[in-house]
Amino acid sequence: MDLSIIIVNYNTRELLHTALETIRKNPPATAYEIFVVDNASTDGSKEYLKETANGINIILNEQNIGYSAANNIAIRKSKGRYILLLNPDTEVLEGTLTKCITFMDTQPEIGILGCKVMLPDGQLDLACRRGFPNIKNAFFKFTGLANMFPKSKYFAGYNLTYLDENESYPVDSVVGAFMMLRQETIAEIGLLDETFFMYGEDIDWCYRAKESRWTVYYYAEAEIIHHKRASSKSSRKALIAFYQSMTLFYKKHYAKKHNFLVNTIVYMAISIMGKIKILLNEYKK
């Protein structure tokens, strides 16, 4: 078995159907398997999956256990040389899966591979190639300086907008909407950290991979379409989870590198930004 495709679904029935159809239409040229893990959806997703199994490995959770934990269940059962985490709100384009497998086969130093991820409006999903959210990158991102100077390597270190999206290169992190890993990489760095319920787990995995000297790579020759945040739609719960993940990531990887005062300022800044974002989101409604 060459590839195990894992999709975690939560109330995205129609999008999940489209994602599965694009895989069937554009499958890899080698042997593969599909896992769909449903996190207690209430939109008819479970009934749909039962009706259209057709060789898909279906895992139905009785409650929403989070993205990381749901993926880990399928990873433990997977048999592929490569594992692909794929969002249900994506469309796999022709040749993408075969290209990624072939490329990984020729580049043994790559532990995690991401492809070019396009939004429905034709714009690049900036999350598909990122720098780590260290203090400098996060500060420039949230103060807007990164947007003011998108071609600056110094200011745009998080979304890497100074790099050509049509070229391929090593990066710090790719996005969990499409993330291909070697089984050997997972065996070395471990499964997804289930402390991250939603958001941040992909950056954490990439950080751990690079710490173990694996290369994380953005591969522009393969492409998918991403209907971003279809399941969360910037809900209050999703926003809270997002800012909680920022705190978790900082505590896990950066807090030990800084003193108490710096850490306190960072935690306060994340908390304030989160509250402001939630208030603005409520106001828009």
Side-chain angles (χ1 to χ4, degrees):
M1 185 74 66
D2 290 302
L3 181 65
S4 297
I5 302 171
I6 300 174
I7 301 174
V8 174
N9 178 70
Y10 179 66
N11 290 333
T12 54
R13 174 182 171 174
E14 296 304 319
L15 290 163
L16 173 64
H17 171 74
T18 300
L20 292 172
E21 286 302 306
T22 62
I23 294 171
R24 293 186 178 114
K25 182 180 178 181
N26 303 305
T30 52
Y32 71 102
E33 61 182 356
I34 300 174
F35 289 86
V36 176
V37 186
D38 186 84
N39 264 343
S41 294
T42 57
D43 67 339
S45 290
K46 291 182 288 186
E47 292 75 15
Y48 161 71
L49 288 169
K50 290 176 182 178
E51 292 171 2
T52 61
N54 294 333
I56 297 173
N57 299 286
I58 300 171
I59 301 170
L60 302 177
N61 292 325
E62 295 183 357
Q63 59 183 349
N64 185 356
I65 62 174
Y67 182 79
S68 297
N71 270 301
N72 285 342
I73 292 173
I75 292 171
R76 292 186 184 99
K77 297 177 179 292
S78 64
K79 299 177 182 178
R81 294 188 297 119
Y82 298 113
I83 303 296
L84 173 64
L85 304 192
L86 186 70
N87 271 19
D89 57 352
T90 58
E91 297 180 38
V92 175
L93 302 186
E94 183 178 0
T96 289
L97 300 177
T98 299
K99 288 177 183 177
C100 288
I101 293 170
T102 301
F103 187 72
M104 289 282 275
D105 281 345
T106 63
Q107 306 291 327
E109 75 282 0
I110 295 177
I112 301 180
L113 183 76
C115 72
K116 186 177 183 180
V117 181
M118 302 301 294
L119 300 174
D121 63 2
Q123 298 296 309
L124 182 75
D125 181 352
L126 296 179
C128 71
R129 35 144 220 191
R130 290 173 284 180
F132 289 129
N134 54 37
I135 291 177
K136 178 177 77 70
N137 285 344
F139 178 78
F140 292 150
K141 170 70 174 178
F142 287 104
T143 58
L145 287 168
N147 290 334
M148 291 174 63
F149 305 101
K151 299 303 179 182
S152 167
K153 184 177 181 179
Y154 182 74
F155 288 108
Y158 180 65
N159 284 133
L160 308 179
T161 47
Y162 61 90
L163 295 175
D164 188 342
E165 67 184 58
N166 297 311
E167 295 182 1
S168 303
Y169 32 72
V171 293
D172 282 342
S173 177
V174 296
V175 69
F178 185 103
M179 178 181 279
M180 186 177 289
L181 296 90
R182 299 179 189 277
Q183 284 280 16
E184 301 97 305
T185 304
I186 298 173
E188 182 174 345
I189 69 175
L191 296 169
L192 287 163
D193 185 344
E194 296 182 13
T195 307
F196 294 89
F197 182 86
M198 179 181 176
Y199 303 121
E201 71 292 318
D202 48 3
I203 298 180
D204 173 70
W205 226 6
C206 289
Y207 194 98
R208 287 153 54 195
K210 293 196 71 171
E211 278 194 322
S212 295
R213 301 186 182 279
W214 288 98
T215 297
V216 178
Y217 204 85
Y218 167 71
Y219 184 51
E221 299 301 315
E223 186 176 328
I224 65 166
I225 297 172
H226 186 197
H227 301 272
K228 198 169 185 179
R229 293 186 180 178
S231 60
S232 63
K233 297 182 180 178
S234 297
S235 67
R236 180 184 178 87
K237 183 177 180 180
L239 287 170
I240 291 172
F242 175 78
Y243 285 96
Q244 285 178 339
S245 74
M246 289 179 61
T247 301
L248 287 171
F249 184 85
Y250 182 86
K251 282 183 177 180
K252 183 174 182 179
H253 297 297
Y254 292 131
K256 58 182 175 292
K257 301 177 182 179
H258 301 288
N259 60 41
F260 175 80
L261 178 60
V262 171
N263 290 339
T264 300
I265 292 172
V266 169
Y267 297 142
M268 288 179 62
I270 294 173
S271 177
I272 291 170
M273 287 188 296
K275 290 175 181 177
I276 292 173
K277 185 67 175 180
I278 290 170
L279 286 172
L280 290 173
N281 191 60
E282 293 296 324
Y283 177 76
K284 290 178 182 178
K285 293 180 180 179

